[in-house]
Structure formats: C-alpha cells, structure tokens
Amino acid sequence: MKITKYIVCGLLGLLAGGACTTNFDEYNANPNQMDKGTIGPEGLLENLVFKGAECLLHRTWLLHGELVQYTVSTSSLNAYHRYIIPNGIPADHWATQFQWAATAQEMYELAVKREDPNCQAIALTMKALYLSNCTDGWGDIPFSEAFKGYEGVSKPKFDTQEEVYRGLYDLLEEANGLYDATRKLSTPAKDLLYNGDISKWRKFTNSLYLRLLMRCVNRDAELGVSERIRRIAENPATYPVFASNADNATLFYTGEPPFRNYFGTMTDTNFTSTGRAAADNIIQMMARSGDPRLAIYFVRSGDSWEGLPSGEPVDETTNLSGVAKLNKPLLGDYSSPFSLMKYDEVLFILSEVAQRGIVAGGTTQAEAWYKAAVKASISYWSGIDPSGNVVGDDVVEAFLNGVAYDGTLARIIGQKYIALFWVGFEAWNDYRRTGFPQLAIGNATSNGHTLPTRFEYPVNTAKTNPERYAEAVARMVETYGGGDTMTTPVWWSKQASGK
C-alpha cells in the first residue's frame, strides 16, 4: 500500500523554523497517493488530530506569543515581536494547516464511501478548524476549489473571506447534523481527543461554530451572525456546546512515544531561557490583579514579577536577569497537554454575546457567564499544574472581586486574553476583531509600528499559482487600499469593517 503523502510529511518531524514543511499546491494537484479502498477513515484520524495539533502547538510558541505579547524571544537573531517576520515562518503555518485540511477532506470522502456519518462529521469539523486558521491568518484563500487536483484543478482560485466563512459555517452545520450517537467508532483508541465519545465531538463542532461566528460579529449584516448565535444558544439539544472542562478539545499526551508533546525533547534553556521569556505585558497585567494563574503559566526569576518588553531594541530584550520564564513542566514536558479549544472560551463568547445584546439576559447574564469563564480557566490550569498546588475557591473569589465584571467588552476580552494563553492564534484573532486588550507597540517595531493585521502569502504560492494570487492581491488593493502586506486588514476585522 502506498502511504498518503500528507501523512508522510507529518511523520517526517519538525523542520527548522516550523513543523512539517510542505507545499499546499502539491496537495491540490495530487491530494491522494494512496490505493483507494486500502484504508478506512479512522486510519487517518490519529494523525489528523495529533500532527495537526502539533503544528499548531509549535506555532503557538514560535510566533503567536510574540505577536500578542505573551512572550519575547531572547535571541538577538529573532525579531518576531518586532514584526520582522520572514515569509517562510508563516508560510509553514499555511502549508501545514492546508496539509491537514487535505487529510480531513480525504477522511471525509472515505467516510462517505463507508457510510460512516460520525467520521464524516469529525472530518468536517477538523477541516473547518484547519481552514479557519488559514483564512484568519491571510484573508482570502483557496477554498471552493481546494483539494480538487483529481478533478484537474491545479491552480485553485482564492475565495473571498466572506465566501470562506459561509463555507465554514456550512461544514459545521453539516457535521452537527451527521452525528449518530447510536453508532460507535470501530477503533476509539485512534481518537486522541475523545476516545470515541461522539457526544463530545458534537460539542466540539458546535463550540467551534460559536468561535467562528463570533469571529465575524463585525459582519453580522452580511452573514446573519446574530441569528445563528441565537439559534445555537436557544437550542442546546440541537446544538450542544461544551458544558464543562471535561468537554475540552485537549490532547492529554501520555508522554510515551509517539504520543508525546513536541517540546518534550527541548531543554528548559532552549524552550524559555534562550527561547521565549515572559513578556512584561502579560506579567504586569496578571500581577496587578493578583491572578492565581500567573505562577502557573510562568516561573518567577527574582524577588518580583518581571518580563521582557515587547518590540524594544535588542539591548533591552536580551538581559534575562530577574525575568520570568515559561513554565516548561506545565507547557513543554513530554506529557504536557495542549488544547485546541476549551470550555472557558465558550463561556467568554456567551458573555460577549449577552453584553452585545445578541441573546437575552443583559448585564446579569453577561456577568454570570464572565464569572463562570474565569473560574473555568483557573480550574483547568490549576488541574493540570504539575506542582500539584490547587487554587482554592477563596482565592478564586478574591481574584474575581478584583476583576469584577464592569459591563464592558474590554473587561471580557481582557480576561479572555489571559485564558487563551497557549491556544493557537486565538488572542491575535480577538485583538484584530475587537482592538482589545490594548497593547503598547514597541519603539523598535517594524511594519510601520503596526501589529501585523495578516500574514503575507507564501512566496511559493505566488510563484506556483501566479494568476490566482494576482487576483487576490488586486482585490485587497481595491477593497482596502493595501496589497499583500502585514498592514492590510482581513475582512472580518474591526479595521476592515469600521465597527
């Protein structure tokens, strides 16, 4: 049996600058190199989750924390927090997210042939997750013509982000309607997220749906976001979402090969001391409020909590004396878990939709969901803290009193920003969507002293699909007055929508 090309790439390991490096255009031209009928859909599930999440985990550490001031690179050779980002760094993210979306598409097609609705639904959910990461990073992307190389489509068009999001919603609606709780996975051990628990997969599908609906709240008129959100919120039996931390889409690595956290092989020094130190922004934000998660996320190095300033010159970001470090036993041990999405995010979304008046309940309901979100976040991180120290209820209540809900979106997103630590690119997405939290832009930043609003398309994509690339760039110029740069906004953003 031939081996699927996109699985092989995932198994090759992580290359310099990023995880599995591949070329999306190759997948579009030749997405399937296996012998049909020799593998079932569950045969793709294990790597679809494991390697896809691993790629996202790596970029959470490598790039996302640098953008949103969770971390600051301690190397004079790395200037991501100064917005000097070589094209190849986000290009790897583009490649791997498309790679695993292609695998999800193949899993879906196999599941259709096997008449397996649950595997169809799982595949659609993962495809939506990975393609949302692509459109959120770049804007317009290949979508409707993606993965159709076998139909002769080797140069797919770039759909507008509005079209992509309509398509993502369709994928998740279809997935939700496919789940059949009376049918079980034949090999639940291959399901590294939920061990074959179909009810939890369905909750993940609809929780992801809520995330992607909230992403486009500034485009309510175009996509009918409010109506869709109300339908989910008012029909929990039809659209179940996460109801506790037990539903989280979290990979709990065993620590045994091959199911190990990618950073397990990395030394503490390379992971944080000479890799990523704590940024002063998040350190001071958490220290001021007495946040009990501060000593879970980070390790204090002096008598007081200090971090490195983001976006400042090299001589201000390489002196590590007294600077807090990432907690490697928590985040980067062989068995350290990694989450694609958690219960607290759902609660913060619900708090926001109540605050915006999209659902009933007003301030009272928004506050209740806000408090529940903060508690859920603290409970999750306290529960996986390798030190074994448990954050008591009295500590949580005292903290909540200090960050009491004040009716503002800034307060909701401020706490959501802290809770989203180590969850892909979600804080960057919220920042571009809402403008919160307010981040001080460093004096040594590039990109016109503007926190990147998107990534530049991969050079290889521009070379291999030049006509379609040129169409996408021309559309950006016409719509936003900017081309393929890191200052042109994405369609759903606050900047582009004017909201």
Side-chain angles (χ1 to χ4, degrees):
M1 181 183 73
K2 298 174 185 175
I3 301 176
T4 309
K5 185 175 186 179
Y6 29 77
I7 294 181
V8 171
C9 186
L11 294 174
L12 288 177
L14 301 180
L15 305 179
C20 174
T21 302
T22 188
N23 175 8
F24 164 66
D25 304 277
E26 293 177 4
Y27 291 103
N28 199 75
N30 191 10
N32 177 21
Q33 288 196 342
M34 70 177 63
D35 291 324
K36 290 290 187 179
T38 58
I39 188 171
E42 290 181 35
L44 298 180
L45 178 57
E46 195 167 34
N47 269 314
L48 176 63
V49 172
F50 175 57
K51 298 303 296 186
E54 184 173 79
C55 293
L56 192 59
L57 166 62
H58 183 257
R59 278 158 191 82
T60 298
W61 172 87
L62 179 74
L63 182 57
H64 179 248
E66 302 289 287
L67 290 175
V68 297
Q69 301 182 18
Y70 287 153
T71 62
V72 172
S73 171
T74 60
S75 170
S76 60
L77 302 177
N78 183 330
Y80 305 157
H81 65 94
R82 300 185 192 95
Y83 315 148
I84 301 172
I85 304 173
N87 186 271
I89 299 302
D92 281 346
H93 183 52
W94 166 283
T96 55
Q97 296 305 290
F98 269 115
Q99 170 192 352
W100 295 108
T103 304
Q105 177 63 26
E106 180 64 19
M107 178 180 169
Y108 172 77
E109 292 172 4
L110 289 170
V112 170
K113 292 182 178 181
R114 300 291 180 90
E115 298 183 346
D116 187 335
N118 288 326
C119 280
Q120 290 178 56
I122 291 169
L124 291 171
T125 299
M126 297 305 292
K127 179 181 177 181
L129 172 68
Y130 293 136
L131 288 179
S132 70
N133 289 334
C134 293
T135 188
D136 290 341
W138 284 268
D140 298 356
I141 62 168
F143 184 83
S144 61
E145 294 182 354
F147 320 126
K148 292 187 176 181
Y150 57 88
E151 297 179 15
V153 182
S154 60
K155 307 295 181 184
K157 71 176 183 179
F158 286 55
D159 296 272
T160 67
Q161 190 166 61
E162 178 179 356
E163 292 168 336
V164 172
Y165 260 86
R166 289 185 187 279
L168 293 174
Y169 296 162
D170 288 345
L171 293 179
L172 294 171
E173 285 278 7
E174 181 182 353
N176 181 57
L178 282 167
Y179 285 112
D180 183 351
T182 67
R183 299 182 58 164
K184 307 297 181 182
L185 296 183
S186 59
T187 51
K190 290 186 178 295
D191 176 7
L192 301 179
L193 276 181
Y194 295 123
N195 196 35
D197 190 327
I198 298 304
S199 66
K200 290 188 177 181
W201 267 109
R202 192 178 184 195
K203 290 179 182 179
F204 179 33
T205 296
N206 291 309
S207 298
L208 178 62
Y209 193 9
L210 267 183
R211 172 196 279 179
L212 300 188
L213 286 169
M214 203 71 236
R215 187 89 78 241
C216 294
V217 71
N218 294 329
R219 296 294 189 173
D220 192 5
E222 293 90 337
L223 294 178
V225 167
S226 292
E227 181 181 350
R228 291 172 183 263
I229 289 175
R230 281 192 292 271
R231 187 162 66 241
I232 293 173
E234 294 170 1
N235 297 280
T238 304
Y239 293 95
V241 297
F242 292 164
S244 73
N245 279 326
D247 296 328
N248 292 348
T250 299
L251 280 87
F252 287 96
Y253 299 99
T254 64
E256 298 297 323
F259 194 36
R260 304 194 299 187
N261 185 300
Y262 165 69
F263 292 110
T265 59
M266 189 178 287
T267 65
D268 183 83
T269 297
N270 290 335
F271 182 70
T272 183
S273 298
T274 61
R276 298 292 184 274
D280 200 53
N281 171 71
I282 190 170
I283 290 292
Q284 299 310 321
M285 182 184 294
M286 298 179 78
R288 283 194 301 269
S289 62
D291 196 316
R293 290 164 292 187
L294 178 58
I296 300 176
Y297 292 178
F298 303 104
V299 177
R300 192 171 64 185
S301 297
D303 294 332
S304 61
W305 284 102
E306 303 290 342
L308 286 177
S310 180
E312 298 300 340
V314 172
D315 59 357
E316 296 183 34
T317 58
T318 52
N319 182 359
L320 299 181
S321 177
V323 172
K325 303 186 300 181
L326 291 173
N327 185 353
K328 188 175 187 297
L330 173 80
L331 304 171
D333 201 358
Y334 284 112
S335 59
S336 297
F338 175 67
S339 297
L340 299 172
M341 188 175 187
K342 304 195 305 297
Y343 175 50
D344 56 67
E345 184 180 345
V346 169
L347 290 168
F348 278 118
I349 291 170
L350 292 173
S351 179
E352 182 177 347
V353 298
Q355 189 268 345
R356 289 177 178 270
I358 295 174
V359 299
T363 299
T364 299
Q365 185 62 74
E367 180 177 17
W369 275 325
Y370 168 83
K371 287 182 175 180
V374 174
K375 289 180 179 179
S377 176
I378 295 173
S379 176
Y380 169 78
W381 288 105
S382 175
I384 66 169
D385 184 0
S387 73
N389 295 328
V390 178
V391 179
D393 292 344
D394 56 336
V395 174
V396 175
E397 291 300 328
F399 171 66
L400 275 171
N401 289 335
V403 294
Y405 179 66
D406 60 5
T408 67
L409 181 60
R411 179 54 57 90
I412 295 171
I413 301 300
Q415 280 302 308
K416 189 181 179 187
Y417 165 82
I418 293 172
L420 286 174
F421 177 76
W422 219 250
V423 183
F425 286 80
E426 289 311 303
W428 182 45
N429 294 332
D430 270 346
Y431 177 81
R432 292 177 293 157
R433 179 177 67 83
T434 68
F436 297 119
Q438 294 182 350
L439 300 174
I441 307 302
N443 295 312
T445 52
S446 185
N447 203 46
H449 298 296
T450 300
L451 196 152
T453 52
R454 60 181 291 278
F455 297 130
E456 296 173 351
Y457 287 120
V459 170
N460 190 65
T461 296
K463 289 181 178 179
T464 58
N465 195 2
E467 292 184 8
R468 297 305 201 178
Y469 165 76
E471 291 172 358
V473 174
R475 193 159 54 230
M476 286 191 289
V477 172
E478 180 181 359
T479 305
Y480 307 116
D484 185 14
T485 70
M486 295 194 299
T487 57
T488 298
V490 294
W491 175 78
W492 52 248
S493 67
K494 178 181 176 70
Q495 179 183 348
S497 66
K499 298 297 178 62

